[in-house]
Amino acid sequence: LYANVASQVVKSNDNSLKTRNLAHKKFTYEPNLPKHTVYTYIVELNELSVAQEPQAIAQMASQRQRANANPKNMQISADRIQNNAVNKQIYKIERQQQAFLDQSAAQFINIKPLARYKYGINGLAIRATQFQAQALSELAQVKGIHREQTRTLNTDRGPVLIGAPKVWDGTAFSGVAQTFGEGIVIGIIDSGINTDHPSFAEISGDGYVHTNPRGDGNYLGDCAGVFAQLCNNKLIGVYSYTDITDNYTDTSIFPPNLPQNGEDYGGHGSHVASIAAGNILLNVDEVFPTLGEERSSGTPTGFTFAQISGVAPRANIISYQVCYGGTSENEDTYADCLDSPILKAIDDAIRDNVDIINFSISGGGNPWLNPTEQAFLSARNAGIFVAVSAGNSGPQPSSSEKTSPWYTSVAASEHSRKNVFSKQLICFSGGASTLNAMTGQSNTGSLTAPIVYAGDFANANDPGGDSAQCLAPFPTATFNGQIVVCDRGDIARIQKAINVRDGGAGGYVLVNVNGSETFLANDQYVIPGIHINADNGNNLKAWLRSGQNHRASITNGVPNQVIDAGRVDVIADYSSRAPNNDISTLVPTMTAPGSSIFAAYADEQLGHDGHEPAASDFTTLNGTSMSSPHVAGAAALIKAANPTWGPDEIRSALAFTATTAMKKEDATTLADSFDMGSGRIQVDKAIASPLIMTETSANYTNANPAQGGEPRSLNIPSISDSECAGICIWSRTFTATTDATFTYSPVIISPGLNVTATPSS
């Protein structure tokens, strides 16, 4: 079962929109920069770029349509285009750029452009001192000059938070070479993979060309047969199993002639794979799945990620499809994951000699009896690091079933990144009192109009309901272009906007109500709208009850990425907890980001007969399903840097270097080991952990309590005893990776527990 699949929830930033200076500044002087140091500056000029000029845009769109219709026309169209709008705009751009260079020389600032830009922007990259750049900004044709910024490659914020960029650029530790995971193979056991997604292309967004460690063109699974086109030198294997694909012939559920291969028709597997090892991608539009569409690239929100990436973006991937795209939660006929293909997949992964396995699927049970748990022990014995999701049954204690001591069970935490579309409700007039501007959210446009409360209008289509909640479409001409205020509750937020639009509304205000949900959403409504909090909503409704001829303005939504420092390293409320009541092991093992993770998805959502499909190339998901591949990707980086380390050494390195500065779901109370295991991983520290540890396969087998074994004696990076009374003694053995002296510092866990170590150093 997909216990690890969490709902798509976009949380909001409730902070007030700060006052901004919207005046355009051509240059910002930085007083702390050294005066004579030369920097790279981007000079943007006034003439429109090719992809900004309307006629050139139309010409390119026309050429693209002809090429798509008949590829043979590609060269002819390209030749013609040079004689039309695009060529004309390029000519204008080149003239302006040369004029800029000539005027620069006239001011005795001689520039040799590092780059010229014509399509995205009209501009140049130059080398100059800050004084020179400021002088050049005064030229008439200059739109702006900006000092080049170093931008971190990031799925989303997760890799940044866990320290992956320092491993990528080689700055984590002296003597440890940089790595993006080259040569490491990650096996993803899940719902398949979106094979033509850019996250899994042979050439990544930054131009890196992947190498197949199995040899160029040597592919596995379906790609070794009739579906070779599904693979490339990044995605080197796609497995499917007849347990799943034989049911594709049921044309009452699936489209006719659906290929029986490991393509992902749910999105979960693609999401997980891209978190672990998705390519570096640049300028990725944030999209939401398009409701009701089986095939769609998604609905853009208007926000763009400058860069996203998996944790090990140059590792290779093999996908093992063991789950349907559908889920039982949504009442789909063919749903969830089956033990048989799971075991086949683990078998194949061992045979394929993968380095890492990610398993973001529920399950567990007795480690020594459950066949899947035993198969993972075999994988560990074969030298494969296995990351598994701890489960989404928190915050209740003892809610994780992933108890086997030979794999790494991962809890989920928040990373604090929020994409918000901030807007305001302003310019109030007509009431008996004045109102201050109200800040809210919505990815919609602006409107100035009369404003009314839906509760003051009868709704003949919902005679027994509360008209203030806008639960049904209002009769035609109930409104006449006004902004209509609706209370939140009972039905979807977007549907309420549709209901007032159908009644003639021109705009929409959704207000939270006391005692109900508090977050604000970035919804896209069918009319200009805004979502505001309960306090603002109460003030607004009180104002509407006074005076007459009420009017207001809704501003445009402004995309903004916010890092909420108060939510960094907060354990997600859904993340499953310890203690483990069955055997003396600690679960979860460690923590990684798992909330609001933006990553790849499935643009084909097939076999979803229990609910409306919603397809997209990308989406945002929550769950320990998302935290586990962060650890899988981190393990790939560590393996690439330390090829001789086995799965136990990798796990211990991550555990020993994890941060314990975490908080419970209330964002106030300090988290404990039952919440976070060893803590949130820091791969930039783990890659050179001064201590590591390992255990033998025989000891894992012999630790079975039913056979007189004792799991607490295993040499693993945690200490747990479910029956400790009086004095309890454990021993652990470490290997030092560096020449140093190590000293034990006493740890206070609770006032009644005294912990000592022998020897102490």
Side-chain angles (χ1 to χ4, degrees), residues 33-39 128-131:
L33 287 183
K35 291 182 179 180
H36 303 295
T37 302
V38 176
Y39 300 94
T129 65
Q130 180 171 220
F131 175 80

Side-chain angles (χ1 to χ4, degrees), residues 389-429:
S389 50
N392 296 338
S393 300
Q396 291 77 17
S398 304
S399 50
S400 178
E401 297 177 334
K402 301 293 181 63
T403 62
S404 293
W406 40 78
Y407 54 44
T408 300
S409 174
V410 188
S413 59
E414 298 181 26
H415 56 60
S416 76
R417 188 273 302 145
K418 299 176 183 178
N419 294 342
V420 299
F421 284 80
S422 299
K423 54 172 27 193
Q424 290 187 309
L425 188 62
I426 59 175
C427 300
F428 300 100
S429 64

Side-chain angles (χ1 to χ4, degrees), residues 576-595:
S576 291
R577 280 14 182 219
N580 175 8
N581 292 328
D582 297 323
I583 60 174
S584 293
T585 57
L586 179 66
V587 292
T589 315
M590 57 190 64
T591 304
S595 293

Side-chain angles (χ1 to χ4, degrees), residues 452-456 466-472 474 484-497 499-500 508-514 516-517 530-534 536-542 544-545:
V452 296
Y453 180 43
D456 294 332
D466 178 6
S467 62
Q469 288 198 57
C470 309
L471 300 177
F474 282 84
V484 179
V485 179
C486 297
D487 289 337
R488 184 176 183 178
D490 286 359
I491 67 170
R493 302 179 299 270
I494 294 174
Q495 184 61 48
K496 291 174 184 271
N499 291 345
V500 296
Y508 168 62
V509 178
L510 179 66
V511 301
N512 286 349
V513 295
N514 293 334
S516 187
E517 292 281 5
I530 184 172
H531 184 183
I532 60 177
N533 64 30
N536 281 331
N538 293 337
N539 291 336
L540 176 63
K541 287 182 283 188
L544 288 170
R545 290 192 294 268

